[in-house]
Amino acid sequence: MSLNNVQLPPHLVADLYKNSLVETHATDVPVSADFRHLGSNHQNILIVVNDPSVAFMADDDLNFLTNILNACKLSLADVAVVNQATQTLPDYHSLIGYFESKVILLFGIEPPAFGLPIQFPSFQIQKFEGQTYLAVPTLSNLAGDKALKGKLWNCLKTIFFIA
């Protein structure tokens, strides 16, 4: 056996080069942010609002949102509510990754303002990168308009498979 053909077992090679070899396990970019939110996110549903006047949302909006969730057989425990206006959100990938979101509801936020590289109209259910998105007017605008509430309800029935 010549010195050019020496074969070392993998564990010995790893021991010899432990500080200079590439790591064998995948590492994600750590999420350093701890996003302030309402809800427990049991169903991985992210609700994003944009209201700079309150920490999360006005009481009337919260009551209306709770009624919407109840109609969908959900509660605040099933969702995470984030107010985009009151905290710095690095990008939509970080936020969605942090909450492991499957469904993202944008109330009063246009998709590009959320950071999405696509634009789609209000009340259009949009699949993108494995998630389901829905952008609609603000909760206060929806609460006062029966036609808009009907459009929202039709979308939510489709998203949450409600008969």
Side-chain angles (χ1 to χ4, degrees), residues 37-39 47 49 51 54 56-70 75-77 79-82 107 138-140 143:
H37 65 282
L38 290 176
I47 297 173
V49 298
D51 188 349
V54 293
F56 291 105
M57 61 177 40
D59 289 341
D60 290 342
D61 289 348
L62 183 58
N63 289 335
F64 182 53
L65 177 62
T66 302
N67 290 336
I68 291 170
L69 293 173
N70 288 337
S75 70
L76 278 176
V79 302
V81 180
V82 174
F107 285 94
T138 64
L139 286 161
S140 56

Side-chain angles (χ1 to χ4, degrees), residues 37-163:
H37 65 282
L38 290 176
S40 301
N41 197 36
H42 290 266
Q43 297 291 325
N44 301 101
I45 300 166
L46 178 62
I47 297 173
V48 185
V49 298
N50 189 23
D51 188 349
S53 66
V54 293
F56 291 105
M57 61 177 40
D59 289 341
D60 290 342
D61 289 348
L62 183 58
N63 289 335
F64 182 53
L65 177 62
T66 302
N67 290 336
I68 291 170
L69 293 173
N70 288 337
C72 296
K73 300 192 183 339
L74 298 168
S75 70
L76 278 176
D78 297 315
V79 302
V81 180
V82 174
N83 187 348
Q84 178 176 301
T86 61
Q87 57 188 313
T88 303
L89 304 178
D91 61 36
Y92 77 97
H93 281 116
S94 296
L95 189 64
I96 290 168
Y98 181 83
F99 290 108
E100 299 177 356
S101 305
K102 298 174 189 169
V103 175
I104 298 92
L105 305 176
L106 304 173
F107 285 94
I109 302 169
E110 292 290 322
F114 181 62
L116 291 171
I118 59 171
Q119 172 71 349
F120 50 92
S122 292
F123 300 105
Q124 176 179 305
I125 299 168
Q126 184 68 46
K127 300 274 188 182
F128 180 68
E129 294 182 342
Q131 287 89 24
T132 301
Y133 291 86
L134 179 65
V136 296
T138 64
L139 286 161
S140 56
N141 286 346
L142 288 166
D145 190 321
K146 188 174 181 177
L148 292 179
K149 283 194 281 191
K151 289 172 102 173
L152 174 62
W153 178 240
N154 287 331
C155 293
L156 294 175
K157 287 192 305 187
T158 300
I159 291 171
F160 297 117
F161 306 105
I162 301 168

